Amino acid sequence: MKVLKKISGIVLGSLLLLSCNQKNKENSTASNETLLLENVRLIDGNGGNPVENTKVLIKDGKIAQIGNDISDKEAQVIDLKGKTIIPALISAHSHIGTLKGTTTKPENYTEENILSQLKKYQDYGILNVMSMGTDRPFLFESGLRDKSVNGEIDGARIHSAGYGFGAPNGAPPLDFAMDKVYRPTSVKEIPAELDSLKKINAELVKIWVDDFNGKFKAKVSPEIYKAIITEAHKRNLRVAAHVYYLADLKKLLADGIDIIGHSIRSEVIDPTTLAQMKAKGVVYIPTLSLDKYSFAYAEKPEWIDEEFFKKSLEPGVYEMITSEKYKNDLKNSPSYTTNRKAFETAKQNLKKVYDAGILVAMGTDSGAMPLRAQGFSEHLELQLMTEAGLTPLQALTVATKNSAKALKIDNNFGTIEQGKTADFMIVEGNPAKNIQDTRKIVSVYKAGKEVSKSVLNK
């Protein structure tokens, strides 16, 4: 009996302890569910001038109220005097999982690597990313994509275009873990391949229409990509195209393309084509950082020694890009002059596209290869957009509101407005005046909860 009483007492005590711990946990969670940010400089993502010294109330992961006349006795008050909040960035063109160290290989595509990269994006204030056509079955079979989109795991939410479409013996290159890309030789193959994308709930369809500056003899033929676009639209799927040449853009426009996944770099886009892009509601993702990286390390770019940049790199990449051999190989490459010219054309076209009223969204192709660092690339993209002629506020809107529209997630994300998910960054300074102030991250909030401090503290 004494033993039974002793056991009962232990059990009862354990239950009471568990109950107290659970209550403490619940109370702790409740105190963090309501935040009142005061003395805020607010850049809400809509493009207007910053609102100075305002308040933002956050409840249950949502923006509950914005304005000066706000009070909430239950809220945890945070004074942000001298700091700015901006919506979390959204990348409409990235790649996840295949990059590791200085390699891009199929075997790199593991849960550990994917989660690590999603966390890296989060640390840099990027909380939604579109993985553009290079994913592998594991992402869907494991349920990892759905858990990420639903906010059930840490890191950026991953959206996916599943398995893209390329050319047999052509782009995209197989040596960059592109072995799961469909490469149809006949239009008869396309319906079944698109059915497979629909089955995994791909959010976009990706096609590569490029010869990579003559590296490949074959590109996806107009007959094939027209069938892909037609079949995708039958299944309510939009199509994003990797394009380089203006001539290809014109053909794709005639066949109903939805998204241009890179800049047109062959020549300046003519007014007639711009008018067609606007009339058809095409989205344009310039990926200027991709083109900048193609030649930047032949010299010493201004960011090369910044810790904000170094922290974004995979192991071994910094040593690679700063080596004399790498610099000399770039300078002596036959494509060096072509790449520099292409970058200047890309900047001109971004300004023309933006001024024409076409929806421009931010993407960087980060994660596709070691040069395209995940996290830093998105902040560099903001800078490059301003160098192309956009104002800092316009660039920020492209990277937040516009990217959310491009991914069709703007009902919840992209701006700091009442009712939307509280995804935002707190930064020092004022990015409306100096776009590089986005790199001065103090903290990152995902659905109203602080999920990261400055990457420099890691």
Side-chain angles (χ1 to χ4, degrees):
M1 275 304 274
K2 288 182 179 179
V3 172
L4 286 173
K5 284 181 179 179
K6 187 175 182 181
I7 292 173
S8 297
I10 292 171
V11 171
L12 181 61
S14 297
L15 289 172
L16 287 170
L17 182 60
L18 284 170
S19 177
C20 288
N21 287 341
Q22 183 64 30
K23 284 182 179 179
N24 288 337
K25 185 178 179 182
E26 289 169 358
N27 289 336
S28 173
T29 303
S31 67
N32 291 328
E33 282 182 350
T34 302
L35 299 175
L36 182 58
L37 310 180
E38 295 187 335
N39 298 313
V40 168
R41 177 185 297 112
L42 172 63
I43 297 175
D44 65 10
N46 281 309
N49 290 327
V51 179
E52 300 285 348
N53 299 315
T54 191
K55 297 180 182 180
V56 180
L57 182 66
I58 298 161
K59 283 189 175 184
D60 300 321
K62 300 282 187 182
I63 305 295
Q65 201 174 347
I66 300 171
N68 289 319
D69 189 22
I70 301 175
S71 62
D72 192 307
K73 293 180 180 179
E74 303 298 318
Q76 175 187 348
V77 178
I78 302 175
D79 189 345
L80 295 180
K81 188 174 183 179
K83 298 179 178 64
T84 305
I85 71 168
I86 61 175
L89 305 183
I90 297 170
S91 176
H93 187 160
S94 297
H95 297 274
I96 297 284
T98 55
L99 171 64
K100 190 172 185 180
T102 58
T103 68
T104 308
K105 297 179 179 178
E107 53 264 37
N108 293 340
Y109 201 87
T110 64
E111 180 172 356
E112 180 184 11
N113 201 34
I114 292 168
L115 293 177
S116 173
Q117 291 176 4
L118 294 178
K119 183 68 167 58
K120 182 184 288 187
Y121 278 116
Q122 177 176 276
D123 288 340
Y124 281 82
I126 303 131
L127 292 182
N128 282 282
V129 295
M130 170 58 73
S131 184
M132 196 66 94
T134 54
D135 285 318
R136 307 178 73 80
F138 167 75
L139 184 70
F140 312 102
E141 294 167 358
S142 65
L144 193 60
R145 189 274 307 267
D146 294 336
K147 290 176 183 176
S148 174
V149 169
N150 294 332
E152 296 171 21
I153 58 176
D154 199 15
R157 304 172 189 86
I158 182 171
H159 305 268
S160 178
Y163 326 118
F165 286 84
N169 303 312
L174 277 169
D175 54 354
F176 280 90
M178 303 292 193
D179 54 304
K180 294 299 180 184
V181 171
Y182 293 126
R183 300 175 190 268
T185 57
S186 165
V187 295
K188 294 178 182 178
E189 301 168 44
I190 293 168
E193 290 167 341
L194 279 163
D195 284 343
S196 75
L197 293 182
K198 192 68 177 176
K199 186 176 180 180
I200 61 171
N201 293 319
E203 294 170 65
L204 291 175
V205 177
K206 168 74 175 292
I207 56 175
W208 279 263
V209 184
D210 192 11
D211 62 5
F212 283 48
N213 278 323
K215 179 180 179 180
F216 299 105
K217 292 180 180 179
K219 288 192 287 189
V220 175
S221 70
E223 179 190 27
I224 292 291
Y225 66 62
K226 182 176 182 179
I228 292 169
I229 294 169
T230 299
E231 292 295 327
H233 288 174
K234 286 179 183 178
R235 292 160 179 78
N236 295 316
L237 287 168
R238 294 175 299 149
V239 184
H242 172 126
V243 192
Y244 184 98
Y245 301 101
L246 179 58
D248 288 326
L249 169 61
K250 290 182 176 183
K251 292 175 184 175
L252 286 160
L253 279 173
D255 290 330
I257 197 67
D258 303 290
I259 299 170
I260 303 302
H262 294 286
S263 292
I264 298 303
R265 289 153 282 176
S266 62
E267 55 199 289
V268 175
I269 304 173
D270 58 276
T272 300
T273 302
L274 290 170
Q276 290 173 346
M277 291 171 70
K278 183 177 181 181
K280 291 173 179 283
V282 167
V283 178
Y284 190 81
I285 307 174
T287 65
L288 297 177
S289 54
L290 173 156
D291 296 298
K292 182 73 172 181
Y293 289 142
S294 69
F295 64 87
Y297 299 117
E299 304 296 338
K300 187 177 180 181
E302 71 272 15
W303 65 79
I304 194 71
D305 292 322
E306 294 176 7
E307 284 301 311
F308 189 79
F309 165 64
K310 289 182 179 180
K311 293 271 189 179
S312 72
L313 296 175
E314 287 287 305
V317 175
Y318 185 79
E319 291 74 15
M320 179 182 78
I321 61 178
T322 55
S323 69
E324 287 302 314
K325 181 182 184 306
Y326 192 86
K327 291 179 184 179
N328 291 332
D329 286 349
L330 270 183
K331 286 179 182 177
N332 297 326
S333 168
S335 60
Y336 177 70
T337 301
T338 302
N339 289 339
R340 290 187 71 100
K341 183 179 178 182
F343 176 62
E344 294 304 320
T345 303
K347 288 197 292 183
Q348 289 181 61
N349 279 332
L350 167 57
K351 187 69 165 71
K352 284 185 174 292
V353 166
Y354 187 91
D355 289 347
I358 296 159
L359 184 69
V360 177
M362 184 188 72
T364 62
D365 212 38
S366 59
M369 61 180 293
L371 292 187
R372 299 167 196 168
Q374 293 160 312
F376 175 78
S377 293
E378 286 69 28
H379 290 268
L380 177 61
E381 190 76 16
L382 289 169
Q383 176 187 335
L384 297 178
M385 285 193 282
T386 64
E387 291 177 8
L390 273 61
T391 68
L393 283 170
Q394 287 171 338
L396 285 167
T397 299
V398 164
T400 55
K401 181 179 184 176
N402 288 11
S403 291
K405 280 186 176 180
L407 300 187
K408 293 192 178 295
I409 57 172
D410 51 312
N411 58 326
N412 281 320
F413 304 106
T415 55
I416 298 175
E417 294 182 274
Q418 187 173 342
K420 289 197 174 183
T421 299
D423 279 9
F424 60 90
M425 278 190 286
I426 301 172
V427 300
E428 298 281 2
N430 183 358
K433 292 183 177 178
N434 180 2
I435 196 63
Q436 292 194 43
D437 282 353
T438 64
R439 305 177 194 183
K440 299 175 182 177
I441 299 172
V442 174
S443 55
V444 179
Y445 283 76
K446 177 183 177 184
K449 295 186 183 297
E450 187 180 49
V451 290
S452 180
K453 297 287 189 183
S454 169
V455 70
L456 298 179
N457 291 331
K458 294 184 178 296

